[in-house]
Amino acid sequence: MADHSEHEEFTELPDLSEFLREDPYLVPYQEDLCRRYQLFTERLSKLEEAEGSFDNFTRSYMFYGVQRQANNSLMFREWAPGAQALFLTGDFNDWNRTSHPYTKKEYGKWELCLPPKSNKSPAIEHETKLKLVVLTSEGEELFRISPWAKYCHKHVDSNTYDWIHWDPVRPCLHQHTRPKRPRSLRIYEAHVGIASPAEEIATYTNFTLNVLPKIKDLGYNCVQLMAIMEHAYYGSFGYQVTNFFAASSRFGTPEDLKRLVDTAHSLGITVLLDVVHSHASSNTADGLNKFDGTESCFFHSGARGQHPQWGSRLFNYQSWEVLRFLLSNLRWWMEEYRFDGFRFDGVSSMLYHHHGIAMSFSGGYSEYFGMQVDEDSIIHLMLSNHILHALYPDCITIAEDVSGMPGLCKSVKNGGLGFDYRLNMAVPDKWIQILKELKDEEWDMGNIVYTLTNRRKGEACICYAESHDQALVGDKSLAFWLMDKEMYTNMSSLIAMTPVIDRGIQLHKMIRLLTHALGGEGYLNFMGNEFGHPEWLDFPRKGNGESYKYARRQYNLLDPDNNLRYTQLYAFDRDMNLTEDKYGWLASQKVLMTTADEKDKVIVFERANVMFVFNFHPSNSYSDYRIAAGPSGKYRIKLDSDAEQYGGHGRLDTDTEFFTEQEPFKGVNDQWQPHSLKVYIPCRTALVLANEELDYCY
């Protein structure tokens, strides 16, 4: 439920004391941080003064578009400041282009009221096809879709989408409350359309019935749904949005999506939407582009309104009505569909006028301040986060930013932009680089640890070994980098592992566990990668003969009757998540690194009073290997990547007890630990050890 106690007092200046203490390099940029904050408070004050409250302002989806009144009359409202006239047409009036004109109001707004029929039913029935007719200043008639359309659909023989009036007699009602916000966020990144082994577009219903139970079984407590906002081009992966308030009709109806979210909530799974407010499709007939016949309705005009790489349109975040549209869009997905938060796509593109193009982002602080920074976008993101967290205290917001902008995940009051998490995008790049360029014996333990732990203090990260980016055609997943073509012939569990398969399976588990345990405060996995999904991801297009062969996830590989080793990787991923669920290392801020041995290829650290031991050496196993211990007492193995059920060699007895000794251990950075213990670590093995004498409730 939304918490509508929205009013929050803001001081004249932000409290930067903690921010500057954690990062003294920001001291020269205090004025920049204060200016951003003041621009935010000014914008928020003006909004509340003009609109009454941001609660009302962000519910504008209840005013614009089509609204059925209590007497079943239909009220249509649009904002089209560049139009000379506006008309409604469709099946209801035999597509007469001018019989139903809108009335022009102030500030570029238009209004039309249709009284009910003689039988008191609405003048336009559910699932009626509609269009707007926009008369431009040049006298041209343009067919358009309402920006507030709740459902759009493309007929099989059509090139563009149609606006479908969606007003079911019995709408789906949510039965289950939102789950409590997880302390440890374990995200399953998913695309509904590819969530089936079949060479076709899968549905919301398929996802509800067949994928959500897998997500629950795997121990993920959050699903992040991609490509939900309607997009005309399937191959855009949902990142070229045409209709911002419409759930993609490729996968089913709005009611089907509501049932999906409600079912996820019944399983205790939080649901995030991959929201795209960084740009919009350049489509005109079924998108926002040139909605009123001008370039500058929702977007900047000229070069500033065009993304030079993506070929898409860029929003004018300073526009009052654009602000209304985008903030209301966030509320719509939270209220109508009951999403629990958002992963904001393309944040790096929003933050800078150069959109991150040809930028390496060396970490120099001058990169984050100055004329290259788009302060309109920054203020918009601050408003988005403030409003979401004020109305929905448990709402989760994640920023996709490659630049490392300081304060991205600091609260607005403390000088930040207000996100809860940022994606740690350097980690998957590091793993791919290692697999492409280095032999196993050349792996640099210190560099791996540095990459996994190099994040801004006090700003939470979502870490991942691979996401959808690595699965796309032109790249390879970790499993494919490790095992390549042998995945087609040698994954049977009925035959001995070849050296390639053996190496691939062991390293696949170790890489994912190390990333999970050390890389951030949340963890993300792209669907199918948990079991080493073979091949790449490629949507239907002319270049592949419009084929769906690679636009699917082959969950059928997990069928026990197939006797394939994918089930072993699946089992490890499940038990890795369940082990985290018990001990809660993602929620623990403190990590004590004690070993990063280049010669032995061993990494050891403690987090949440749990010991993590990794031996990456391709051939050397170590008996009685001394490692630093946390609290004194008896330790036992809680997760062993070498266990046979995970495709390992079963070289360890999980019932073995390890007792700490009063022998100090000199760890990383010459830090002495008072206790240590000896363990046997087989080559290419990862262990999780827990103290049997501690209470791990977190």
Side-chain angles (χ1 to χ4, degrees):
M1 295 292 291
D3 179 358
H4 297 299
S5 56
E6 63 177 71
H7 188 67
E8 183 177 2
E9 294 295 331
F10 282 93
T11 56
E12 184 177 346
L13 293 173
D15 180 1
L16 299 177
S17 55
E18 179 185 283
F19 199 3
L20 299 180
R21 185 172 62 251
E22 291 177 342
D23 192 347
Y25 290 105
L26 284 168
V27 171
Y29 302 99
Q30 290 182 74
E31 289 187 10
D32 296 84
L33 294 170
C34 290
R35 186 182 64 256
R36 292 176 185 176
Y37 178 85
Q38 289 174 320
L39 290 171
F40 157 77
T41 56
E42 288 171 9
R43 187 73 178 219
L44 183 63
S45 296
K46 288 179 181 178
L47 185 156
E48 291 176 324
E49 181 182 344
E51 302 286 341
S53 71
F54 63 68
D55 182 26
N56 292 334
F57 184 64
T58 58
R59 286 183 182 271
S60 293
Y61 57 82
M62 301 177 72
F63 183 82
Y64 287 89
V66 190
Q67 305 297 331
R68 178 158 54 87
Q69 308 300 302
N71 66 350
N72 274 346
S73 62
L74 295 176
M75 182 65 72
F76 293 78
R77 296 186 181 95
E78 300 294 343
W79 176 67
Q84 292 301 302
L86 208 65
F87 305 90
L88 183 69
T89 188
D91 292 334
F92 76 101
N93 67 357
D94 294 325
W95 294 94
N96 188 311
R97 296 198 303 274
T98 57
S99 62
H100 288 76
Y102 282 67
T103 301
K104 190 172 185 177
K105 302 293 183 179
E106 58 183 352
Y107 307 121
K109 298 173 183 178
W110 299 83
E111 195 172 279
L112 167 66
C113 183
L114 297 184
K117 297 178 182 177
S118 57
N119 63 2
K120 306 300 182 184
S121 66
I124 297 177
E125 297 177 356
H126 173 54
E127 294 190 278
T128 297
K129 188 185 298 185
L130 300 171
K131 287 280 188 183
L132 290 170
V133 180
V134 177
L135 182 65
T136 71
S137 56
E138 289 80 24
E140 184 181 6
E141 287 185 350
L142 305 174
F143 284 98
R144 293 290 187 258
I145 290 176
S146 168
W148 304 82
K150 299 169 185 174
Y151 186 57
C152 296
H153 188 271
K154 184 172 80 73
H155 194 271
V156 67
D157 58 358
S158 174
N159 291 322
T160 59
Y161 275 71
D162 291 310
W163 171 21
I164 307 296
H165 177 52
W166 193 259
D167 188 18
V169 175
R170 297 180 183 85
C172 175
L173 301 176
H174 296 275
Q175 303 296 317
H176 302 92
T177 58
R178 302 179 193 270
K180 186 178 178 181
R181 175 172 168 160
R183 289 187 62 192
S184 292
L185 198 59
R186 302 183 298 273
I187 302 173
Y188 196 83
E189 184 185 34
H191 184 291
V192 170
I194 65 173
S196 164
E199 295 184 28
E200 61 187 18
I201 298 177
T203 64
Y204 296 124
T205 300
N206 166 74
F207 197 93
T208 302
L209 297 177
N210 298 317
V211 183
L212 285 179
K214 284 186 175 65
I215 296 172
K216 178 67 174 179
D217 180 62
L218 281 161
Y220 291 95
N221 54 20
C222 177
V223 59
Q224 177 181 300
L225 293 179
M226 311 170 65
I228 295 299
M229 301 167 78
E230 190 61 271
H231 48 292
Y233 178 43
Y234 189 44
S236 73
F237 224 143
Y239 293 124
Q240 295 268 348
V241 174
T242 45
N243 312 106
F244 283 72
F245 288 81
S248 181
S249 61
R250 284 185 182 85
F251 317 134
T253 69
E255 312 314 300
D256 294 336
L257 176 58
K258 291 175 188 176
R259 279 186 282 271
L260 187 162
V261 174
D262 194 49
T263 303
H265 287 167
S266 75
L267 296 171
I269 297 172
T270 295
V271 189
L272 304 182
L273 176 72
D274 201 343
V275 70
V276 186
H277 283 181
S278 50
H279 64 131
S281 167
S282 60
N283 287 18
T284 53
D286 49 15
L288 288 180
N289 191 19
K290 299 182 180 179
F291 169 66
D292 65 352
T294 70
E295 268 202 344
S296 56
C297 184
F298 287 91
F299 310 105
H300 289 291
S301 58
R304 192 179 177 188
Q306 308 281 342
H307 196 287
Q309 278 191 344
W310 300 340
S312 51
R313 298 304 315 273
L314 299 176
F315 287 106
N316 178 2
Y317 300 108
Q318 201 171 32
S319 163
W320 194 268
E321 293 305 320
V322 171
L323 188 66
R324 181 195 305 279
F325 181 78
L326 293 176
L327 294 180
S328 294
N329 189 234
L330 296 174
R331 288 294 305 276
W332 166 257
W333 293 107
M334 292 292 289
E335 291 285 341
E336 184 72 11
Y337 290 94
R338 307 287 290 168
F339 279 91
D340 303 297
F342 303 93
R343 179 255 197 198
F344 282 72
D345 180 69
V347 169
S348 300
S349 176
M350 297 176 70
L351 294 176
Y352 308 98
H353 291 298
H354 54 61
H355 309 299
I357 298 171
M359 290 292 298
S360 60
F361 291 107
S362 64
Y365 280 59
S366 61
E367 296 174 339
Y368 306 124
F369 302 95
M371 297 299 291
Q372 72 272 22
V373 176
D374 189 336
E375 287 196 331
D376 290 342
S377 296
I378 286 179
I379 304 314
H380 173 75
L381 291 171
M382 293 169 75
L383 283 168
S384 298
N385 278 302
H386 166 65
I387 287 171
L388 284 171
H389 289 118
L391 294 172
Y392 312 93
D394 284 343
C395 178
I396 297 168
T397 60
I398 302 171
E400 187 214 23
D401 170 43
V402 72
S403 75
M405 168 70 76
L408 193 69
C409 300
K410 287 287 186 185
S411 71
V412 173
K413 275 192 167 185
N414 295 121
L417 273 67
F419 285 98
D420 297 301
Y421 299 90
R422 70 187 335 138
L423 291 175
N424 194 345
M425 302 176 74
V427 173
D429 292 341
K430 172 57 65 175
W431 286 125
I432 295 300
Q433 179 209 348
I434 289 171
L435 294 176
K436 286 174 67 174
E437 300 177 4
L438 301 179
K439 298 177 182 178
D440 291 3
E441 55 269 23
E442 296 173 342
W443 288 26
D444 186 330
M445 300 296 103
N447 184 255
I448 291 171
V449 168
Y450 173 79
T451 303
L452 286 164
T453 56
N454 181 30
R455 49 190 188 269
R456 295 196 177 280
K457 187 176 181 181
E459 299 195 41
C461 283
I462 301 295
C463 200
Y464 53 101
E466 54 186 338
S467 71
H468 68 272
D469 290 325
Q470 286 71 42
L472 288 170
V473 63
D475 205 338
K476 292 182 182 180
S477 65
L478 286 179
F480 224 49
W481 277 112
L482 288 163
M483 295 176 278
D484 206 65
K485 62 183 179 182
E486 287 207 22
M487 297 187 78
Y488 295 113
T489 56
N490 296 327
M491 285 295 280
S492 172
S493 59
L494 302 179
I495 61 174
M497 287 186 285
T498 66
V500 169
I501 296 298
D502 188 2
R503 171 183 179 269
I505 284 181
Q506 310 321 322
L507 289 180
H508 190 272
K509 293 176 291 185
M510 295 180 70
I511 288 170
R512 293 170 70 82
L513 177 59
L514 182 57
T515 303
H516 201 304
L518 193 59
E521 291 70 38
Y523 177 75
L524 178 143
N525 164 69
F526 178 62
M527 61 190 311
N529 288 350
E530 70 275 7
F531 63 84
H533 195 285
E535 299 174 336
W536 51 89
L537 185 60
D538 190 13
F539 285 89
R541 53 188 174 86
K542 289 182 179 179
N544 66 12
E546 303 295 339
S547 171
Y548 287 86
K549 181 177 181 180
Y550 298 110
R552 58 187 178 130
R553 296 279 93 178
Q554 298 180 57
Y555 288 111
N556 56 305
L557 296 173
L558 298 172
D559 188 332
D561 294 338
N562 289 332
N563 296 305
L564 296 173
R565 295 193 182 276
Y566 299 106
T567 59
Q568 298 168 342
L569 295 176
Y570 178 100
F572 180 80
D573 199 80
R574 177 192 62 219
D575 290 351
M576 174 176 69
N577 283 321
L578 295 179
T579 306
E580 196 287 327
D581 189 58
K582 179 176 181 180
Y583 297 107
W585 60 72
L586 288 170
S588 175
Q589 298 300 311
K590 184 180 178 181
V591 175
L592 180 61
M593 180 63 56
T594 58
T595 301
D597 193 296
E598 300 302 338
K599 177 175 171 291
D600 295 342
K601 301 301 178 192
V602 171
I603 294 172
V604 183
F605 58 92
E606 175 194 338
R607 188 174 184 185
N609 289 325
V610 175
M611 304 300 301
F612 296 88
V613 184
F614 295 83
N615 178 8
F616 279 99
H617 202 287
S619 57
N620 288 356
S621 299
Y622 305 108
S623 298
D624 294 332
Y625 197 89
R626 187 170 294 280
I627 64 172
S632 63
K634 179 178 65 176
Y635 286 78
R636 293 186 64 171
I637 297 172
K638 298 303 177 182
L639 186 65
D640 170 19
S641 71
D642 195 51
E644 291 181 355
Q645 67 263 34
Y646 307 139
H649 299 281
R651 291 168 287 185
L652 286 157
D653 181 357
T654 54
D655 291 328
T656 302
E657 297 176 342
F658 304 91
F659 293 89
T660 56
E661 301 173 6
Q662 294 287 354
E663 182 168 336
F665 183 91
K666 186 179 181 181
V668 175
N669 299 324
D670 295 331
Q671 291 182 320
W672 286 92
Q673 304 302 316
H675 305 103
S676 61
L677 52 82
K678 293 179 180 179
V679 294
Y680 168 49
I681 327 172
C683 62
R684 287 184 180 143
T685 295
L687 302 174
V688 178
L689 306 173
N691 192 316
E692 291 282 279
E693 299 169 15
L694 294 180
D695 180 4
Y696 281 98
C697 295
Y698 74 101

